Amino acid sequence: MSEIQLQQLVKKYDDVTAVKGIDLNVRDGEFLVLVGPSGCGKSTTLRMVAGLEDVTDGTLQIGGNVVNDVAPKERSIAMVFQNYALYPHMTAAQNMKFGMKSASDFSSAEIDERVENAAETLSVTDLLDRKPKELSGGERQRVAIGRALVREPEVFLLDEPLSNLDAKLRVQMRAELLKLHQDLSTTTIYVTHDQTEAMTLGDRVAVMDDGVLQQVAPPQELYDYPANRFVAGFIGEPSMNVFPVTVRRQNGQCVAEHSGFTITLPEREGLDDIAGVEADFGVRPEDITLAENLSAATETFKAEVTVREPLGELLLLHCRLGDEELQVKVEPRSQIQPGDKIEVGFNKERLHLFDMTDGDALYHSTPQETTSDPITAE
Ligand code: ADP
Ligand code: MG
């Protein structure tokens, strides 16, 4: 078993606390993605797991053993970095083998066989005799992953491994990493700042901000039930629209009132508790629909289009709604132009309210059925 447990893990550098007491359980065989903006403490967390940084406080366990003071090479981990870290004077094969001989548990023949297998898995067999400068970025990254594979570690740690690749290659490598994980099921922590990568790769995704874990959940759950305003804004492209509203009871119904719209909130247990408060109202761009496509009963609002952004699969409209910016995804071949007034309604099943002060989610209009992990638990 090679689950990884972080308990109240802290990392301080002099006056900076980069990681502020993280609790996280990565299950045996799981692909967990750690995502967050640049500087939030992702690499520091991963480097503590790898043993490349000392743990300031808290406990780190791999496979049930506390490893706070265990040297990196005794942790049965292999790490892949953004910049590949290949030796320029060695061939791909030598790079993949490097360090294996000194871990003298293996004969040369065994090592050669492992390199051959890894090369085959990653389709780099024909490149094994080349040096890094004779390889493309994608090929180099394959070799770097190959070097991790030949170690057959219990845990893979990857830090932004695809960031240096062009967009097309990134998508291709993403699929290959998924396939690799399907085949090997090695416990993996994958760090990225890219929410698309996080959503597509993670069995679960841990969202981090400013040294603190915000939410740990499967990708769709993060998207549909963000635990707070930060997660709501970080996951999803473009971001969820957020407006300040007043929540109040009116003729027995609960409404969210904004200068540009008033919308009836679907009844839910707990809604009474927030009647009377000021809150942040959230709705995603794809959960806003042109009135002509809505049933007559739906409440609609007028907005003015300021910019049209054709994205091929859809048309993104930037609009003004009262004093606010509103982004709306519509049918890609729509002829709506800047300056046009449009009438829109919100998808009542996908409305969110967040506490104005601490940002915690107060309400999702569709109740969450499976109560999975709270922020910190496994
Ligand atoms: P991320 O990988 O999420 O971009 P990092 O873990 O690299 O973030 O950095 C988190 C914070 O810790 C940043 O504020 C960074 O400046 C700081 N930091 C990282 N490494 C060091 C170091 N060796 N010395 C001092 N501060 C550091
Ligand atoms: Mg980093």
Side-chain angles (χ1 to χ4, degrees):
M1 293 291 278
S2 49
E3 78 264 354
I4 306 167
Q5 291 182 295
L6 284 60
Q7 291 164 319
Q8 284 299 306
L9 209 65
V10 174
K11 179 67 191 182
K12 288 187 183 154
Y13 298 108
D14 300 326
D15 49 350
V16 181
T17 306
V19 177
K20 300 176 179 170
I22 283 187
D23 287 309
L24 177 67
N25 285 3
V26 186
R27 298 166 187 150
D28 186 39
E30 183 175 30
F31 197 119
L32 182 116
V33 178
L34 184 56
V35 69
S38 177
C40 74
K42 306 179 295 294
S43 295
T44 305
T45 304
L46 200 70
R47 291 170 59 82
M48 284 194 280
V49 177
L52 302 173
E53 295 284 355
D54 291 334
V55 171
T56 308
D57 208 353
T59 310
L60 176 68
Q61 294 186 39
I62 299 178
N65 302 312
V66 175
V67 295
N68 286 43
D69 300 316
V70 173
K73 64 177 187 318
E74 320 225 300
R75 293 190 186 191
S76 190
I77 49 134
M79 187 148 168
V80 179
F81 300 90
Q82 174 179 354
N83 59 8
Y84 323 131
L86 296 178
Y87 294 103
H89 59 285
M90 292 184 190
T91 64
Q94 287 165 337
N95 264 290
M96 284 165 71
K97 280 181 212 175
F98 186 78
M100 289 290 287
K101 289 222 174 65
S102 56
S104 52
D105 301 347
F106 307 104
S107 68
S108 282
E110 268 174 318
I111 294 171
D112 286 343
E113 192 185 327
R114 284 190 181 197
V115 169
E116 265 169 48
N117 290 343
E120 204 166 305
T121 308
L122 293 159
S123 315
V124 294
T125 306
D126 297 342
L127 310 174
L128 284 174
D129 293 330
R130 297 203 198 164
K131 294 199 171 146
K133 68 170 189 305
E134 299 161 328
L135 300 171
S136 71
E139 290 164 347
R140 274 181 225 165
Q141 192 54 296
R142 281 206 173 86
V143 172
I145 293 168
R147 185 170 50 182
L149 281 186
V150 294
R151 282 163 175 66
E152 297 182 5
E154 288 189 32
V155 172
F156 278 128
L157 303 176
L158 299 103
D159 193 348
E160 312 242 9
L162 308 185
S163 295
N164 285 351
L165 306 181
D166 65 49
K168 197 166 176 183
L169 202 52
R170 248 189 344 253
V171 173
Q172 188 186 332
M173 286 298 290
R174 222 157 65 194
E176 289 185 19
L177 285 172
L178 277 172
K179 172 141 194 325
L180 202 60
H181 188 254
Q182 275 163 25
D183 293 346
L184 303 177
S185 295
T186 306
T187 309
T188 302
I189 305 182
Y190 183 103
V191 160
T192 179
H193 65 276
D194 180 319
Q195 59 97 27
T196 309
E197 244 171 57
M199 293 288 283
T200 52
L201 285 172
D203 292 325
R204 288 186 307 156
V205 177
V207 183
M208 193 169 180
D209 185 37
D210 193 22
V212 178
L213 274 193
Q214 304 294 317
Q215 186 172 8
V216 184
Q220 197 64 44
E221 188 178 319
L222 272 189
Y223 194 79
D224 291 339
Y225 301 100
N228 58 42
R229 195 175 44 210
F230 177 82
V231 175
F234 190 79
I235 301 289
E237 179 70 42
S239 284
M240 188 183 279
N241 297 290
V242 177
F243 312 109
V245 295
T246 306
V247 183
R248 55 184 188 82
R249 282 259 168 224
Q250 171 180 294
N251 307 326
Q253 293 187 307
C254 221
V255 297
E257 199 172 56
H258 175 267
S259 55
F261 62 87
T262 299
I263 184 162
T264 311
L265 299 169
E267 215 44 63
R268 283 271 322 274
E269 203 178 319
L271 196 50
D272 268 328
D273 300 343
I274 53 173
V277 307
E278 315 256 289
D280 280 326
F281 173 91
V283 60
R284 294 196 183 276
E286 68 271 31
D287 293 323
I288 305 178
T289 307
L290 295 175
E292 64 206 45
N293 301 325
L294 288 167
S295 73
T298 315
E299 299 149 301
T300 58
F301 326 101
K302 288 208 168 55
E304 182 176 343
V305 178
T306 52
V307 175
R308 82 195 291 273
E309 238 187 288
L311 298 176
E313 55 176 325
L314 57 91
L315 173 63
L316 180 65
L317 299 175
H318 299 250
C319 309
R320 302 227 39 103
L321 177 71
D323 298 336
E324 312 277 356
E325 279 266 344
L326 177 76
Q327 299 192 347
V328 184
K329 287 180 179 172
V330 298
E331 200 276 313
R333 287 158 200 94
S334 158
Q335 289 307 309
I336 296 170
Q337 299 297 329
D340 287 355
K341 299 256 185 348
I342 57 172
E343 195 164 345
V344 296
F346 298 155
N347 177 355
K348 289 280 182 101
E349 286 170 8
R350 297 273 161 236
L351 307 179
H352 311 270
L353 290 171
F354 304 99
D355 187 294
M356 223 166 221
T357 314
D358 63 17
D360 283 353
L362 300 171
Y363 167 90
H364 303 295
S365 60
T366 298
Q368 191 170 353
E369 282 183 8
T370 52
T371 45
S372 89
D373 320 325
I375 287 179
T376 54
E378 56 153 10

